[in-house]
């Protein structure tokens, strides 16, 4: 899954990494002949890459960034109270992840961009990747809520 580059920083050994819109980071080393990224060596080069897309393997595996924190949880929904918007294709905003938490019954989770579906029940989380089209479908009586995650706010 490709994600825009938002910023660059250096790790503890001085290697550059990109921060992606999903919240994940990825090293952007210049190590010829394996990786040719001479642009990473200059501020101008790095600035020229802001907004460009970079493949994010963590999003492909639905891995919520470890440092993200919960900031909102919906009320509990049932098969009768699911908002219509959740039953049709929708996405979260850039950088916003979610967990679908089923407390009773079974909910089918459709990842529309990939054509995959999962049956979620008690103890099985549905991970929502930012900006990935998805919707849910109750399979009989069900109770669930959605918990939203984002990068921690920086206090200055």
């Amino acid at each position: 899954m490709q994600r825009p580059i938002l910023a660059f920083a250096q790790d503890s050994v001085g290697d550059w990494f990109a921060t992606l819109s999903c919240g994940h980071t990825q090293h952007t080393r210049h190590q010829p002949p394996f990786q040719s990224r001479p642009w990473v060596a200059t501020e101008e080069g790095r600035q020229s890459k802001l907004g460009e897309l970079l493949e994010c393997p963590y999003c492909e595996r639905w891995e919520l960034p470890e440092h993200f924190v919960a900031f909102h949880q919906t009320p509990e929904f049932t098969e009768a109270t699911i908002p219509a918007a959740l039953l049709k294709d929708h996405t979260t905003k850039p950088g916003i992840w979610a967990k679908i938490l089923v407390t009773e019954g079974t909910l089918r989770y459709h990842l529309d961009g990939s054509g995959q579906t999962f049956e979620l029940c008690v103890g099985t989380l549905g991970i929502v990747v930012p900006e990935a089209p998805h919707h849910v479908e109750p399979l009989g009586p069900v109770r669930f809520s959605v918990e939203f995650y984002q990068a921690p706010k920086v206090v200055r």
Side-chain angles (χ1 to χ4, degrees):
M1 196 172 295
Q2 296 204 334
R3 300 297 186 175
I5 297 171
L6 298 182
F8 289 95
Q10 285 180 296
D11 65 15
S12 60
V13 297
D15 288 331
W16 288 99
F17 64 88
T19 299
L20 306 178
S21 67
C22 57
H24 292 120
T25 59
Q26 190 171 129
H27 276 99
T28 51
R29 298 178 182 97
H30 176 55
Q31 295 175 319
F34 304 109
Q35 296 172 329
S36 181
R37 294 180 177 147
W39 53 263
V40 81
T42 67
E43 180 65 25
E44 296 80 20
R46 291 186 300 277
Q47 290 297 314
S48 75
K49 297 297 182 181
L50 294 178
E52 285 199 13
L53 299 177
L54 196 59
E55 194 66 34
C56 182
Y58 303 107
C59 283
E60 290 289 339
R61 296 188 302 256
W62 304 292
E63 291 183 24
L64 177 71
E66 291 178 7
H67 65 288
F68 272 37
V69 295
F71 71 93
H72 176 72
Q73 186 164 349
T74 66
E76 189 170 70
F77 302 122
T78 69
E79 69 283 357
T81 64
I82 298 174
L86 299 184
L87 297 170
K88 60 184 182 180
D89 286 354
H90 64 283
T91 64
T92 59
K93 294 179 181 177
I96 303 298
W97 288 75
K99 289 181 182 178
I100 303 170
L101 310 163
V102 176
T103 54
E104 180 182 310
T106 305
L107 187 70
R108 184 168 289 141
Y109 173 38
H110 297 266
L111 296 168
D112 301 315
S114 68
Q116 295 179 293
T117 62
F118 299 93
E119 290 191 7
L120 308 178
C121 55
V122 177
T124 306
L125 288 177
I127 301 294
V128 179
V129 176
E131 303 176 86
H134 63 280
H135 70 277
V136 296
E137 171 191 0
L139 299 178
V142 67
R143 291 185 176 284
F144 72 99
S145 61
V146 182
E147 190 171 57
F148 295 92
Y149 289 77
Q150 66 185 2
K153 299 288 185 193
V154 176
V155 179
R156 296 178 195 245

